[in-house]
Amino acid sequence: MQISATVELVSLLALLINMATANAPGIAAMIGPIHGCAWLFSIYAASQDSRSSTRSTLIAAIPGIGGMLALRRLTHADVAPAQ
């Protein structure tokens, strides 16, 4: 999950940088499918995690940053609140 969330975020940043600078269709054609696959895998991984809830899966569905947010939510699910 951590790898797919990182790839999702980095590929989104690469797409946005490409759009803001060169806007090369070749770069978008290469990075776009990588971003899409990482996004879908993040959603799948979040839904299959033993600590997952419906909210975690829906958070993972947010394009770009959802994988990182869901990962943060799942890793903090193990920590009990301080009393």
Side-chain angles (χ1 to χ4, degrees):
M1 171 96 184
Q2 186 172 4
I3 294 171
S4 66
T6 303
V7 170
E8 177 188 1
L9 182 61
V10 170
S11 62
L12 176 67
L13 292 174
L15 286 169
L16 291 174
I17 289 169
N18 177 50
M19 200 166 84
T21 58
N23 205 13
I27 292 174
M30 181 178 63
I31 297 176
I34 293 170
H35 173 70
C37 288
W39 178 61
L40 290 175
F41 189 79
S42 291
I43 296 169
Y44 176 75
S47 70
Q48 297 302 309
D49 195 291
S50 61
R51 304 163 291 185
S52 181
S53 65
T54 303
R55 184 176 291 224
S56 297
T57 304
L58 290 174
I59 288 172
I62 299 170
I65 191 80
M68 285 293 190
L69 293 173
L71 181 63
R72 181 173 181 260
R73 181 176 174 83
L74 291 173
T75 55
H76 285 96
D78 293 337
V79 180
Q83 298 281 343

